[in-house]
Amino acid sequence: MDNVFLTGALAHRPLLSVVLGETPDLIPAVLPGHDLRHSASGPAPAAVPVISPGAAAAVAGFLLTAPGQEAMARLSFFAAAMGYGETHRLVAAEGGALDPAAMGAGLNAGLTPAVSFEPTPAQKGAAPWQQEVWAARWGAIATETAADVMAAQGALSAEALAARRGSLLVRAASRLRAQEDKPATLRHDAQPGDVASLQRRIPYAHFFAVEDHLLRHRRFDGTESEPMERAVFVSCDAVVLLPYDPMRDRVLVIEQFRPGPWLRGDRNPWLLEAVAGRIDAGETPEMAARREAAEEAGLTLGRLIPGPSYYPSPGAKTEYIYSYLALADLPDGVAQPGGLEAEGEDIRAHLVGFDQLMELAQSGEIDNAPLLVLVQFLARARAQLRAAALVQQAEAGPAQAAAGGSPAPARRG
């Protein structure tokens, strides 16, 4: 079996070990006369680098020596799922330096797009691939995504996974956040091995997925449970936020059609909600909150005040929600239609005074958990926020007081 030259994301050893199912022996190698640059194909964690001619450059990587049939099958499956193209085998020259002339124009080096002897203008202007920079920012997410991809081998096709690439990256980022330590002063402090999946099926996988697991878990008496079947709806982490103007004592809420209540048979599937959206791979919850405020309500926010974070439906869903109060300037006229047309969003915004907000929550017109949680959080924090706003306004001087603006302004984006 010929050797395989690996560069770009597959030169990240933790990711490669996940793809191959073992820690491989690698030999450092270079491809002289070429350089490695980013392409614009997909989210950054799955970025596919482009090899282009560069007389004074060389592409660094590794040789995987004489991989067996199973290793090549795993590499090819991962490459297809992540859009890296077809796998090609390379023969190393003496000393580990590869000979570009011997490769041919059709070469696909390191499971990347073919070597480009006539690079496009976009490729010529693309930023150079810096392995250490990519690994520091995206390596953990890409490696976690690789674990999902390889776990699905034999259950889903590479084409089906490729269609869900963005969702897989978001799920991987969610799982990394889920590994952060949380308090366990009253509840069981989970240890490795407390839960074991005996069998996994994926009966549905699209933007979201459904996983069916046969599992065991540690019981409170220390014994193991009998095998039990549990189906889980796999989504991602999300952020919700409630823009609040402490000087005017009002909030901005949005209204939109929701298919969940509609499918339940709700007579009115248009809901009053907090601004919300998923946290993309590479984003922090705070970054996602500011992006969603701009997309759904056209607002640039002031200070974000973290509220409760929680699982809204832990018996059946992986979704985890980060919530925020967002200080904002909400003058008359700021509530405008919003949403991304490309995502089919049709959103109407409402300015609501605090007293009316509490009435809407009490009457049941607000009937979704994320907004209700934030309403209660605001009720507890309101007095302190208003007092701080008055002090800050007084310190800012009479000019701002006359304008009636918030000390933490937001503007239409």
Side-chain angles (χ1 to χ4, degrees):
M1 176 68 70
D2 294 334
N3 303 324
V4 175
F5 177 57
L6 303 172
T7 190
L10 276 171
H12 186 56
R13 286 177 178 266
L15 183 148
L16 182 60
S17 295
V18 169
V19 171
L20 294 176
E22 61 183 9
T23 302
D25 292 327
L26 300 174
I27 301 173
V30 294
L31 174 60
H34 291 77
D35 61 13
L36 194 63
R37 294 183 176 272
H38 285 272
S39 72
S41 58
V48 178
V50 175
I51 296 177
S52 300
V59 177
F62 296 100
L63 282 177
L64 178 63
T65 58
Q69 185 174 355
E70 180 181 353
M72 289 306 301
R74 292 177 69 94
L75 281 169
S76 296
F77 180 80
F78 181 76
M82 300 307 290
Y84 289 179
E86 185 182 355
T87 302
H88 288 260
R89 299 164 181 77
L90 312 182
V91 178
E94 197 67 32
L98 306 178
D99 180 3
M103 295 179 179
L107 170 69
N108 180 307
L111 308 180
T112 67
V115 172
S116 175
F117 289 92
E118 294 181 2
T120 67
Q123 291 169 0
K124 287 180 180 178
W129 179 279
Q130 296 176 288
Q131 187 70 17
E132 295 79 9
V133 174
W134 178 89
R137 184 171 182 184
W138 302 113
I141 294 176
T143 301
E144 199 72 24
T145 303
D148 264 350
V149 169
M150 300 314 298
Q153 187 179 21
L156 295 175
S157 68
E159 292 74 20
L161 290 167
R164 298 189 62 238
R165 193 178 306 140
S167 296
L168 289 172
L169 291 165
V170 169
R171 180 188 178 186
S174 297
R175 192 160 56 241
L176 289 173
R177 280 189 295 272
Q179 294 168 12
E180 298 170 358
D181 286 337
K182 291 183 183 177
T185 60
L186 178 63
R187 62 177 174 167
H188 171 66
D189 187 11
Q191 301 298 316
D194 278 358
V195 183
S197 178
L198 309 177
Q199 183 178 330
R200 177 196 191 212
R201 293 191 313 111
I202 309 175
Y204 172 83
H206 195 53
F207 184 81
F208 299 116
V210 174
E211 291 192 8
D212 196 356
H213 285 260
L214 186 67
L215 61 86
R216 294 178 184 267
H217 69 80
R218 186 80 60 198
R219 294 169 54 90
F220 290 122
D221 63 7
T223 63
E224 285 191 338
S225 70
E226 293 297 318
M228 59 182 68
E229 187 174 6
R230 293 292 184 268
V232 179
F233 183 85
V234 180
S235 52
C236 56
D237 289 358
V239 63
V240 299
L241 63 129
L242 184 62
Y244 175 59
D245 186 331
M247 295 303 299
R248 297 181 177 92
D249 197 24
R250 63 185 179 188
V251 301
L252 183 143
V253 298
I254 63 171
E255 177 186 357
Q256 60 183 322
F257 166 78
R258 286 306 200 185
W262 168 74
L263 193 58
R264 175 177 175 260
D266 199 308
R267 190 187 67 80
N268 189 353
W270 273 261
L271 270 59
L272 295 174
E273 300 181 341
V275 174
R278 78 175 190 178
I279 304 171
D280 288 337
E283 282 188 318
T284 64
E286 293 84 357
M287 291 165 59
R290 296 184 184 280
R291 174 179 53 77
E292 289 292 343
E295 292 176 359
E296 294 193 354
L299 294 176
T300 301
L301 303 175
R303 182 163 66 98
L304 295 178
I305 303 168
S309 299
Y310 54 93
Y311 291 98
S313 186
K317 295 186 65 178
T318 65
E319 184 181 38
Y320 189 78
I321 291 179
Y322 296 83
S323 64
Y324 297 92
L325 287 179
L327 299 188
D329 183 22
L330 301 176
D332 293 345
V334 75
Q336 300 290 330
L340 294 180
E341 191 172 326
E343 296 181 6
E345 293 179 328
D346 177 38
I347 294 174
R348 180 166 66 170
H350 301 274
L351 290 176
V352 180
F354 177 78
D355 290 340
Q356 183 186 5
L357 180 71
M358 299 306 291
E359 291 171 2
L360 291 168
Q362 184 66 31
S363 70
E365 188 166 349
I366 294 176
D367 60 353
N368 68 91
L371 181 52
L372 287 171
V373 168
L374 280 170
V375 168
Q376 297 304 316
F377 184 60
L378 174 60
R380 294 186 60 184
R382 173 175 171 251
Q384 183 177 356
L385 291 174
R386 298 203 74 201
L390 288 170
V391 170
Q392 187 175 348
Q393 187 182 65
E395 292 174 348
Q400 182 173 322
S406 167
R411 67 177 190 274
R412 292 292 301 175

